[in-house]
Amino acid sequence: LQEGEEPLCVSWRTMATQGFWSSSGCSRVGGDIFYSTCSCSHFSTFAILMATRPMAESFALKVVTYVGLSLSLLCLFLAIITFLLCSSLWSISIHLHLQLSICLFA
């Protein structure tokens, strides 16, 4: 949380085919930076929103995301090739691992 922000107690509301978080009927009645206590006047699905406004994505987070995704896809591709080329080790287990690797790659 940033300076001056507090967690927000909300409940899930639906209107027609749209859903959204609403703070009406819910309030934060206690807690500190490690936990929160909410009080709501109705039954519903509840949550505590920790960031109440959109956060700007940092450049470092984008770099880590794209590098991690690229390395993961490369390793999955190599695993698929390895499973296909090692026909001498072919078994049900290898077949299942090949299918899992293909699904993760897709």
Side-chain angles (χ1 to χ4, degrees):
L1 290 176
Q2 293 188 4
E3 190 74 30
E5 283 189 4
E6 286 194 11
L8 184 63
C9 298
V10 294
S11 63
W12 186 252
R13 300 289 176 105
T14 55
M15 188 173 287
T17 59
Q18 299 290 322
F20 59 95
W21 292 111
S22 170
S23 60
S24 69
C26 290
S27 61
R28 186 170 184 256
V29 294
D32 57 18
I33 63 170
F34 298 108
Y35 75 94
S36 292
T37 304
C38 295
S39 175
C40 295
S41 61
H42 55 277
F43 293 112
S44 181
T45 302
F46 302 101
I48 299 174
L49 300 181
M50 299 299 289
T52 57
R53 61 182 175 185
M55 301 291 287
E57 287 188 34
S58 69
F59 176 73
L61 181 60
K62 286 184 180 181
V63 169
V64 168
T65 299
Y66 289 119
V67 169
L69 177 65
S70 300
L71 286 175
S72 297
L73 289 175
L74 175 66
C75 290
L76 280 170
F77 180 75
L78 293 175
I80 291 168
I81 296 301
T82 303
F83 290 139
L84 290 173
L85 294 179
C86 294
S87 58
S88 62
L89 301 174
W90 198 253
S91 68
I92 295 296
S93 177
I94 296 293
H95 186 71
L96 292 174
H97 282 89
L98 172 62
Q99 290 178 359
L100 176 64
S101 297
I102 292 170
C103 287
L104 289 173
F105 186 85

